[in-house]
Amino acid sequence: MTTFLWGVYPYICATLFFAVPVIRMASRPFSWSTRASGMFGRRTLGLASLLFHWGILAVFLGHLAGLFGGVLGFEGAVGFFYWSALIGGLAVLLGSSIALVRRIVIPEVRALSQPDDYVVHLFLIPIVAIALYQVLVDRIFGIAFTASSWIASLARLSPQPELMASAGLLTQLHVVLALTLFAYFPFTKLVHVWTYPINYFVRPYQSMRTVRYRFQRRWEFALRSDKSWLLYGLGAVVAIFALAAGLLGQARVPGASLAPDAPTVSGQLMGQPLYVSQCARCHGVSGHGDGPGASSPTFGAPPRDFTAGQYRFISTTNGVASDDDLYRTIEGGLPSSGMPAFTQLTPEQIRSLVRVLNGLWRDRPSSGAPVVVPPRPSVDDLTLGATLYASNCATCHGAAGHGDGPLATSLPTRPANLAAGVFKAGARPEQIFLRAAAGIPPLMPAFRGSLSADSLWAVVAYVERGIAPHP
């Protein structure tokens, strides 16, 4: 499904978006009309039209800045995208809603309406509403870093669906609805945007209108007919995406001390450009944990400052994260904190991200020997596990495992809710054992020095069977 949604479906929509207007102009030029209904409800139409058209312009300019700013890693351009699309989106949402209500309420307008007059608004309103909800409520922003690289890969005709796999569900829904609207766009009256008479801005105060060139059969490039306006409009869109395709892989991470990987290997984004695409929206382009979406209330913990290197989910004896620790965290994610899993990335891509993180880590110390996970005993000692859990774990995780122990409120992040089956670094028995043995510095101590391997396995068994819900 990931491959279809982000590697096939966009090309289906793009084919319709570019081909249908040309076919329609060649075969049905007289259908190229806005079907104006301005003589009815003019005051309402004026407000709706102003809000909608100026809002669409602001949204377009914002997305344009986001596209190139995201590909190149320019935080200023992505910030412009935020404000432009936010203001424009609010205007579009209000204008489109007013226009839809007007079309339903005023009988004359309703009689003149066709199905696409309603469908267009039923696409636009949820598309814009989803984006505004994410920005204003969830405060998830910075997806331009991810989506722009994905769009550029499509324009390169070398799609990388894995780049969009880590985006949130609402973001994916927003993009899929937008793609569907682009596919439907050329079948509606919205095609008039391609033939907007820009030369009106420089025309004489009084001019005689003629249809001499408007519906001529042949195609020309002198900007005299709708056909030439259409070709130049479509050509401009192609040029924008071609430029974005050429810039793919050019993003660099300020402060990274390691030499950057090759931008692409076998058609896959690697190294610093991949970091900007997948990580900058939360951790920031320079890795300080200050990305555009860092303050989202949906996160259980603030994004890590990669320059400090204070990683918590480690498996070494000295508490310093190894490359394998970073690899596992990137691949599996940290669901309780809000970090998604990056399972769609290839091993080479994940290793290239690890190299970028190491390059951002100032004065990186050497990691110690890995903590060994011994074989699990053949028989689980649940009684011993319950006793050890009560004396070592309940003070933070709570007697029933709800993360509400006496010390929970004094910690910067809430302990995992084990009763709900929430494990911050993996739910497999080996992962639970490793977390208890190695700890989560500086919040959770390492118990490998105070408890034997069999005792740790007894705690794991109790957590699995005595607290966590059974599958």
Side-chain angles (χ1 to χ4, degrees), residues 8 75 97 119-120 142 156 185 188 197 238 264 276:
V8 177
E75 293 179 291
S97 300
V119 175
V120 164
R156 247 189 195 188
F185 175 94
T188 71
V238 171
T264 58
V276 171

Side-chain angles (χ1 to χ4, degrees), residues 31-55:
S31 72
W32 211 272
S33 170
T34 61
R35 302 195 301 271
S37 58
M39 65 179 66
F40 306 110
R42 298 188 65 177
R43 290 185 178 179
T44 306
L45 175 61
L47 176 61
S49 180
L50 282 173
L51 288 171
F52 179 81
H53 286 92
W54 285 109

Side-chain angles (χ1 to χ4, degrees), residues 386-418:
T387 302
L388 293 173
Y389 176 89
S391 59
N392 293 278
C393 313
T395 53
C396 293
H397 291 283
H402 291 288
D404 56 355
L407 297 181
T409 56
S410 63
L411 299 175
T413 58
R414 181 177 177 175
N417 186 347
L418 305 178

Side-chain angles (χ1 to χ4, degrees), residues 81 229 401 467:
F81 173 30
W229 286 111
I467 293 181

Side-chain angles (χ1 to χ4, degrees), residues 71-332:
V71 170
L72 294 173
F74 290 164
E75 293 179 291
V78 175
F80 174 82
F81 173 30
Y82 173 89
W83 288 108
S84 179
L86 173 60
I87 296 171
L90 290 171
V92 170
L93 182 63
L94 184 57
S96 184
S97 300
I98 293 173
L100 179 60
V101 171
R102 168 183 174 270
R103 195 166 291 279
I104 295 173
V105 170
I106 299 178
E108 294 85 355
V109 179
R110 186 169 63 248
L112 292 170
S113 298
Q114 296 186 13
D116 68 280
D117 292 315
Y118 298 99
V119 175
V120 164
H121 292 293
L122 295 179
F123 266 112
L124 280 172
I125 291 173
I127 288 172
V128 175
I130 289 171
L132 291 175
Y133 177 86
Q134 288 191 282
V135 171
L136 297 175
V137 180
D138 282 349
R139 297 207 297 273
I140 294 292
F141 190 69
I143 196 65
F145 288 116
T146 298
S148 59
S149 294
W150 166 69
I151 292 170
S153 75
L154 293 174
R156 247 189 195 188
L157 303 182
S158 179
Q160 298 184 50
E162 71 275 8
L163 299 181
M164 279 296 290
S166 64
L169 178 61
L170 286 178
T171 297
Q172 293 185 352
L173 180 60
H174 170 76
V175 176
V176 169
L177 286 175
L179 288 173
T180 306
L181 177 59
F182 291 150
Y184 182 58
F185 175 94
F187 297 95
T188 71
K189 67 179 184 180
L190 295 179
V191 290
H192 73 274
V193 72
W194 293 125
T195 52
Y196 184 83
I198 299 175
N199 56 354
Y200 278 13
F201 291 112
V202 295
R203 70 177 183 176
Y205 290 110
Q206 182 176 0
S207 63
M208 299 300 294
R209 189 168 184 179
T210 175
V211 296
R212 177 181 177 186
Y213 298 107
R214 181 172 174 82
F215 301 118
Q216 65 180 16
R217 290 288 183 179
R218 67 184 183 87
W219 296 81
E220 52 86 25
F221 303 95
L223 297 179
R224 295 180 300 189
S225 70
D226 284 355
K227 289 184 172 64
S228 63
W229 286 111
L230 172 63
L231 291 179
Y232 280 113
L234 292 174
V237 175
V238 171
I240 288 172
F241 287 116
L243 179 58
L247 296 175
L248 180 64
Q250 301 301 310
R252 292 292 177 262
V253 178
S257 59
L258 294 180
D261 293 88
T264 58
V265 176
S266 302
Q268 296 175 335
L269 210 60
M270 294 284 185
Q272 295 188 21
L274 181 63
Y275 170 88
V276 171
S277 167
Q278 299 298 295
C279 312
R281 63 182 185 258
C282 296
H283 296 279
V285 173
S286 56
H288 290 286
D290 57 353
S295 62
S296 172
T298 63
F299 293 158
R304 184 74 58 231
D305 180 353
F306 292 140
T307 64
Q310 295 176 350
Y311 299 104
R312 294 177 179 171
F313 300 98
I314 48 87
S315 63
T316 60
T317 54
N318 67 347
V320 177
S322 66
D323 287 359
D324 288 340
D325 291 329
L326 299 180
Y327 185 103
R328 281 193 296 270
T329 302
I330 294 171
E331 182 182 43

